[in-house]
Amino acid sequence: TQLLEQSPQFLSIQEGENLTVYCNSSSVFSSLQWYRQEPGEGPVLLVTVVTGGEVKKLKRLTFQFGDARKDSSLHITAAQPGDTGLYLCAVQGRDDKIIFGKGTRLHILP
Amino acid sequence: GAGVSQSPSNKVTEKGKDVELRCDPISGHTALYWYRQRLGQGLEFLIYFQGNSAPDKSGLPSDRFSAERTGESVSTLTIQRTQQEDSAVYLCASSLIFRSYGYTFGSGTRLTVV
């Protein structure tokens, strides 16, 4: 079983639309990270959320950590073609390894 | 350096050959991770190093895989007797301290075994 479940797996929407992707788990975490990966590159850290209920904004991206610190969401407002990429959530497991979800592959159509 | 550097960026090798992949972490970063990413998939943990502690090798898929790191500098991932299923992008990440709130990744080495 996957520690982190990301949904949807794939999302293709028109430029200007809003979208939300999710990262869910049955475990509680002290922190959670979101990364974006573009083709041919490594993942780039977008944000780390630490406190239950925390909301962080990065321009048009809004990240929320669930109150129980088991899940997180990423909302993008007025999506742009430059938002296209693989969005990965990650946590530090009990054995200190960084565990990644399988990601949501986002494609913004111009 | 300014970022995590990996080399080569691309490697095509014949089945059965050995390959060595290199990672130069950000100077001063004590933690270093290796991940494997198969086409269209997420990141699969392979191994991590933290300072002078024994590395966690629990993610290495077989004894054909090994990795070394000298102190807090360069790391090499070696795959012996490569198989076609080893084809993937191998990513390296480093962080300033262990359990850091964020990791810097290199651009990866794309390995193709033919």
Side-chain angles (χ1 to χ4, degrees), chain A residues 9 22 28-29 33 35 49 54 74 76 84 90 100-101 103-104:
Chain A
Q9 280 186 285
Y22 301 91
V28 177
F29 302 107
Q33 301 164 7
Y35 291 80
V49 285
E54 180 178 5
L74 159 58
I76 301 179
T84 292
F100 284 84
T104 292

Side-chain angles (χ1 to χ4, degrees), chain A residues 92 95-98, chain B residues 30-33 48-51 56 95-101 103:
Chain A
Q92 199 110 34
D95 51 6
D96 293 332
K97 291 192 277 284
I98 317 167
Chain B
T30 63
L32 185 149
Y33 290 75
Y48 75 68
F49 298 88
Q50 168 56 29
D56 180 338
S95 69
L96 184 59
I97 58 171
F98 197 46
R99 298 185 185 179
S100 173
Y101 288 152
Y103 302 84

Side-chain angles (χ1 to χ4, degrees), chain A residues 28-88:
Chain A
V28 177
F29 302 107
S30 58
S31 66
L32 184 145
Q33 301 164 7
W34 284 94
Y35 291 80
R36 178 169 65 212
Q37 185 180 22
E38 298 184 21
E41 299 295 326
V44 174
L45 179 68
L46 297 174
V47 78
T48 300
V49 285
V50 178
T51 306
E54 180 178 5
V55 176
K56 282 192 173 178
K57 293 196 174 187
L58 187 66
K59 296 183 182 177
R60 293 176 294 100
L61 278 60
T62 302
F63 303 86
Q64 183 160 10
F65 201 14
D67 290 342
R69 291 183 287 124
K70 292 182 179 182
D71 50 73
S72 181
S73 63
L74 159 58
H75 181 79
I76 301 179
T77 303
Q80 304 294 312
D83 297 327
T84 292
L86 178 66
Y87 288 81
L88 296 158

